[in-house]
Amino acid sequence: MAAPGENMRVNADRLWDSLMEMAKIGPGVAGGNNRQTLTDADAEGRTLFKRWCEAAGMTLAVDKMGTMFATRPGTDPDALPVYIGSHLDTQPTGGKYDGVLGVLSGLEVIRSMNDLGIRTKHPVVVTNWTNEEGARFAPAMLASGVFAGAIDLDYAYSRKDPDGKTFGDELKRIGWVGEEEVGARKMHAYFEYHIEQGPILEAENRQIGVVTHCQGLWWLEFTLTGREAHTGSTPMNMRVNAGLAMARIVEMVQTVAMENQPGCVGGVGQMFFSPNSRNVLPGKVVFTVDIRSPDQAKLDGMRATIEARAAEICAALGVGCSVEAVGHFDPVTFDPDLVASVRKAAEDLGYRHMNIISGAGHDACWAAKVAPATMIMCPCVGGLSHNEAEDISKEWASGGADVLLRAVVETAGIAE
Ligand code: HGY
Ligand code: MN
Ligand code: MN
């Protein structure tokens, strides 16, 4: 049985091969992935992950949100498990590593402990959270939000995709509705390993991000009501133009984010026009504003300012305006002891590292509500993510997984 030491590293080639194998499922059109949650491709990826977990000696449980929990037993049956989690679902034009690196590095940690003959006191559980991305069904981090008690199961099941299909129906259709009550299982600790999805680690030439915090988020869904009319024959002074109101609000969001620098972001990634005809002024425009900051006061202040200014913009144009928060979590501070275990593992391995605040949201943000949690990050090329060109090196991938292995083994305790 190996003691912690120089040889406690993962098998970099095996991890990379697993990433490339999973990337074949739900391919994109430009080298990335389109494996959106609860699609047939998601189901195929889940089946492959299940096969790999069982081949590594783990047993699988699934909860009512379809989240997958693969357990490697510990020597103390009463000890709460140490969890490693992330997500296998991707954006429509996603990369091969966002989320997938964390889940398959968790599997690699198990495979490496098997190879090294390491037995831990606490069980270790590798988790694939359903619908982390929130691309098809808002909000993001949906299953982990239900697990943390922040989102109601029935609300989650009712969420609709742009085609009007509900989360609950789609989960049933792909055959991944589990028996387990969501949130019933308790955690000793939770680790998530993820690509940075930003430019800092690469620019600073650091291999490991020791994640101390994650910025908070609001997703504000605006519904603007104009009057459908002919774009040619309707005089300008007779228009009730919801499209113009939307454009002014998008510009205003940019202005508010810039007014609150440093340390915040704001933008719009999705919008729908109805009837979406080239020569009809839109009767309805629906779009989601995404604002984030690690500073609670700034985050909530931006929300209030944006909603107030949007109301003024719409009133001036005679456009109806309603807004619904369809996603939210407050800024997160990760567990200092787990953060220290990540930093120590990076130092023992001789990997250049730095503290970092996560710009993107992660399931760890909800896990942190119910257990000590933290994250590990590796760089990604040009800081690019949520783009099929998302790229990392094999060394970056395995470096973070080495840190994950050591932090998990330290936290789970090597059995005597
Ligand atoms: O939105 C996020 O930050 C994550 O990628 N779901
Ligand atoms: Mn992710
Ligand atoms: Mn993502």
Side-chain angles (χ1 to χ4, degrees):
M1 181 171 63
E6 179 45 36
N7 70 333
M8 195 189 287
R9 294 171 187 269
V10 299
N11 180 324
D13 290 335
R14 179 172 57 195
L15 171 57
W16 194 255
D17 291 347
S18 298
L19 287 165
M20 294 306 111
E21 194 63 28
M22 183 61 74
K24 291 175 188 166
I25 298 175
V29 295
N33 276 108
N34 180 6
R35 192 172 54 246
Q36 295 183 65
T37 196
L38 308 190
T39 58
D40 294 341
D42 181 23
E44 194 184 337
R46 287 164 172 266
T47 303
L48 176 61
F49 176 59
K50 175 175 185 287
R51 178 158 59 81
W52 280 341
C53 289
E54 290 170 344
M58 292 194 271
T59 51
L60 184 72
V62 181
D63 74 10
K64 290 183 174 177
M65 282 294 289
T67 295
M68 301 169 73
F69 301 98
T71 298
R72 180 185 199 253
T75 56
D76 178 352
D78 299 329
L80 289 179
V82 172
Y83 283 72
I84 306 169
S86 201
H87 60 94
L88 292 174
D89 68 308
T90 76
Q91 288 285 337
T93 55
K96 298 191 283 284
Y97 309 104
D98 172 359
V100 187
L101 177 64
V103 176
L104 299 188
S105 293
L107 172 63
E108 178 53 35
V109 163
I110 303 296
R111 287 167 165 172
S112 297
M113 290 199 290
N114 291 343
D115 293 348
L116 294 166
I118 292 173
R119 292 180 5 185
T120 57
K121 175 173 177 281
H122 293 258
V124 178
V125 177
V126 183
T127 306
N128 169 34
W129 297 103
T130 303
N131 190 36
E132 187 280 342
E133 290 293 359
R136 191 178 170 200
F137 303 98
M141 289 83 82
L142 184 59
S144 51
V146 177
F147 185 90
I151 302 173
D152 176 75
L153 180 68
D154 291 341
Y155 174 79
Y157 270 39
S158 72
R159 305 304 291 151
K160 286 187 176 160
D161 73 3
D163 298 328
K165 292 178 183 161
T166 67
F167 178 96
D169 288 347
E170 284 295 281
L171 183 64
K172 209 174 296 167
R173 182 186 68 81
I174 66 167
W176 277 92
V177 181
E179 299 286 312
E180 188 175 298
E181 289 305 322
V182 184
R185 56 179 54 229
K186 302 304 169 202
M187 299 177 170
H188 176 63
Y190 177 89
F191 289 91
E192 182 156 0
Y193 171 34
H194 206 287
I195 60 171
E196 179 198 341
Q197 300 183 289
I200 299 167
L201 293 175
E202 185 186 43
E204 298 290 333
N205 187 27
R206 305 296 168 96
Q207 180 159 3
I208 299 295
V210 179
V211 189
T212 56
H213 300 79
C214 182
Q215 61 178 355
L217 161 153
W218 282 106
W219 276 5
L220 306 174
E221 186 179 85
F222 281 88
T223 301
L224 307 188
T225 309
R227 185 172 61 223
E228 292 176 16
H230 199 298
T231 51
S233 55
T234 308
M236 294 304 279
N237 64 357
M238 284 179 61
R239 298 181 176 207
V240 183
N241 191 338
L244 176 61
M246 178 275 299
R248 289 181 178 171
I249 289 171
V250 172
E251 176 70 35
M252 176 269 290
V253 169
Q254 173 76 13
T255 303
V256 171
M258 296 316 289
E259 286 168 353
N260 282 275
Q261 293 304 308
C264 67
V265 291
V268 174
Q270 181 190 68
M271 65 180 67
F272 298 101
F273 272 46
S274 170
N276 204 30
S277 168
R278 291 177 184 79
N279 46 7
V280 177
L281 291 170
K284 189 162 90 165
V285 177
V286 180
F287 59 102
T288 301
V289 171
D290 179 329
I291 52 175
R292 311 197 189 196
S293 175
D295 179 316
Q296 185 76 57
K298 269 194 182 179
L299 180 66
D300 294 341
M302 282 200 294
R303 175 187 179 186
T305 303
I306 286 168
E307 291 185 354
R309 291 189 192 174
E312 289 164 10
I313 287 168
C314 289
L317 293 170
V319 168
C321 176
S322 67
V323 56
E324 180 193 354
V326 294
H328 172 61
F329 58 85
D330 289 333
V332 175
T333 301
F334 289 123
D335 178 80
D337 293 338
L338 295 185
V339 170
S341 74
V342 168
R343 187 176 298 111
K344 179 177 178 301
E347 283 162 357
D348 290 351
L349 285 155
Y351 293 156
R352 283 170 53 84
H353 58 84
M354 63 183 284
N355 289 355
I356 194 166
I357 295 173
S358 176
H362 302 283
D363 295 306
C365 298
W366 286 128
K369 294 277 178 276
V370 293
T374 199
M375 294 188 71
I376 302 161
M377 284 187 172
C378 74
C380 53
V381 176
L384 188 65
S385 184
H386 286 194
N387 182 311
E388 291 204 44
E390 178 185 277
D391 195 15
I392 64 173
S393 69
K394 188 191 289 189
E395 291 66 32
W396 285 346
S398 61
D402 289 337
V403 171
L404 179 66
L405 170 62
R406 290 185 179 217
V408 165
V409 168
E410 183 195 332
T411 307
I414 290 188
E416 299 312 321

